[in-house]
Amino acid sequence: MSLYETVRDALRAEDPVAMATVVEVVPREEWEFPDDPGVALGAKLVVRPGHPRQGSLGHEGLDTVVARDALGALESGLSDTRHYGRRGQARRREVSVFVEAFAPPPQMVIFGAVDFTAALAKVAKILGYRVTVCDARPVFATPARFPMADEVVVDWPDRHLAKVGPDLGPRDAVCVLTHDPKFDVPAIVAALPTRVGYLGAMGSRRTNADRLARLKEAGVDEAALERLMAPVGLDIGARTPEETAISICAEIIALRVGSGSRSEVPSLRDRGGPIHRDGRGEPGPD
Amino acid sequence: MKEVLGDIERWRSAGRRVALARVVGVEGSGPRDPGATMAVSEDGEVAGSVSGGCVEGAVVTEALDVLARGEAKLCTFGYSDDEAFAVGLTCGGTIHVFVEPLDW
């Protein structure tokens, strides 16, 4: 099978695959080992997790280093050009290699089958997420109510995360929209130990204070809670389910791997004052 | 690349050669991220895009040239003082586009 066919088939099956291509080579006089054989522009290496690599960039050492970086690129989902020595040496710029990551769609798991869930699932689909809606109540968790979701699961959050949690990674998101401690505390406790990139929980400031107390009672320590974005979303004055969905997705974009520092992101969590600024809905200065 | 697979398959099954142009680097403001892909058939059909529209025409020309010569090349598009009249990006950024025959 040709390299193209391998990449094509993996793309169609939504299997993770990375392709590394030599896009620039400096003149050999500038190489650390100028007697090495030449490197062909366009030379390729195809890397798939759990499969033998295919193709070559012209040196075993270079292939090894690039294959490692390609697996890293699949984790982050970011494609970029990297520089290496002709034999794969670090900190040299003899060969430029474009490492293109074709990662499967990121996943969003939404707990709670409520109106906000339908709006969030819609916006998440626009952003390319594979969306799962999970709720323990079979009356509410139906595909008919969430036709935009890729999967609707009737289960307890902690049980569902026990199944899918190990597969969650830095590009994925878990959003807890139940604002019922019976569901959201177990969901957050189960999500914290996973590698999920974004973990948010909805609720008023009062709900959130109560939830934080329950999480601590459940044995979650202060440092672990640093990851939890609650109240969920950016402080844009969102009110309707649709606006709230935009606020949540904007926060996910703002916090995702490699874009900006957390202190620059106007998250509701890191601000005081009312969540809804028009004075309706949330009483008091909590 | 996934979005251009259908066209590539159609061209290849008709026995037409194909060039791939991919954004491999962006400096400053750029309309598309690395990985943005355009595919061009030897008779000039185009699928996908590598920019907001500003350099597409120049990339098609490069792609046809690459197919004619059978050699890959790295093209740079962007604004600089000495290239003030060259094909540029209105946004002021620079993009590097790797153009190659799909013969692998």
Side-chain angles (χ1 to χ4, degrees), chain A:
Chain A
M1 193 185 281
S2 71
L3 295 175
Y4 164 74
E5 287 164 343
T6 299
V7 172
R8 177 198 64 195
D9 293 352
L11 286 177
R12 287 186 167 166
E14 294 195 338
D15 287 336
V17 59
M19 179 166 72
T21 306
V22 172
V23 297
E24 199 169 18
V25 184
V26 303
R28 65 167 60 233
E29 301 81 68
E30 296 172 34
W31 295 359
E32 186 178 7
F33 306 104
D35 295 333
D36 280 352
V39 183
L41 217 51
K44 284 189 171 52
L45 183 70
V46 171
V47 178
R48 288 184 294 161
H51 292 78
R53 57 196 195 217
Q54 203 181 336
S56 174
L57 305 178
H59 188 276
E60 177 65 25
L62 182 59
D63 288 348
T64 302
V65 176
V66 171
R68 183 199 62 200
D69 289 353
L71 291 173
L74 280 174
E75 283 270 304
S76 68
L78 297 173
S79 302
D80 212 350
T81 298
R82 296 143 190 266
H83 309 280
Y84 306 90
R86 167 72 182 78
R87 298 182 179 180
Q89 309 95 304
R91 290 181 295 279
R92 293 196 68 89
R93 302 176 69 90
E94 296 165 4
V95 180
S96 301
V97 179
F98 180 53
V99 179
E100 186 167 17
F102 301 106
Q107 299 189 62
M108 181 185 288
V109 182
I110 309 174
F111 291 111
V114 296
D115 281 353
F116 287 91
T117 306
L120 179 56
K122 268 188 216 161
V123 178
K125 286 311 293 176
I126 291 174
L127 294 178
Y129 284 91
R130 187 181 184 282
V131 177
T132 303
V133 173
C134 176
D135 194 304
R137 304 163 301 173
V139 185
F140 296 110
T142 65
R145 291 189 70 217
F146 303 100
M148 71 299 283
D150 295 282
E151 193 183 8
V152 179
V153 177
V154 179
D155 206 344
W156 284 78
D158 45 341
R159 280 217 317 225
H160 183 61
L161 279 173
K163 271 182 244 160
V164 305
D167 295 330
L168 295 174
R171 300 162 61 235
D172 302 321
V174 169
C175 299
V176 181
L177 306 188
T178 51
H179 49 57
D180 175 343
K182 183 160 83 262
F183 296 108
D184 63 10
V185 169
I188 293 165
V189 168
L192 281 170
T194 69
R195 295 171 60 243
V196 76
Y198 177 89
L199 172 59
M202 194 167 75
S204 68
R205 296 212 182 271
R206 185 169 297 168
T207 302
N208 191 49
D210 172 62
R211 183 168 50 211
L212 288 176
R214 287 168 188 267
L215 284 167
K216 282 173 194 156
E217 273 169 36
V220 176
D221 63 49
E222 203 67 54
L225 288 175
E226 262 302 295
R227 292 182 62 197
L228 177 65
M229 300 310 293
V232 73
L234 291 192
D235 187 9
I236 57 172
R239 166 160 291 280
T240 65
E242 292 73 21
E243 289 168 359
T244 303
I246 298 282
S247 150
I248 294 169
C249 287
E251 183 170 69
I252 293 174
I253 294 167
L255 294 177
R256 76 179 162 199
V257 183
S259 60
S261 78
R262 198 159 269 217
S263 61
E264 290 166 2
V265 175
S267 287
L268 280 165
R269 184 190 73 166
D270 303 323
R271 297 188 168 193
I275 292 176
H276 304 302
R277 293 174 186 159
D278 56 8
R280 288 185 289 140
E282 188 164 289
D286 55 352

Side-chain angles (χ1 to χ4, degrees), chain B residues 47-66:
Chain B
S49 85
V50 291
S51 73
C54 24
V55 302
E56 311 295 312
V59 173
V60 172
T61 307
E62 295 287 359
L64 293 173
D65 183 57
V66 157

Side-chain angles (χ1 to χ4, degrees), chain A residues 4 8 21 44 81 100, chain B residues 2 8-9 22 24 100 104:
Chain A
Y4 164 74
R8 177 198 64 195
T21 306
K44 284 189 171 52
T81 298
E100 186 167 17
Chain B
K2 195 176 180 187
I8 293 175
E9 288 296 298
R22 286 179 295 152
V24 299
E100 60 181 337
W104 30 273

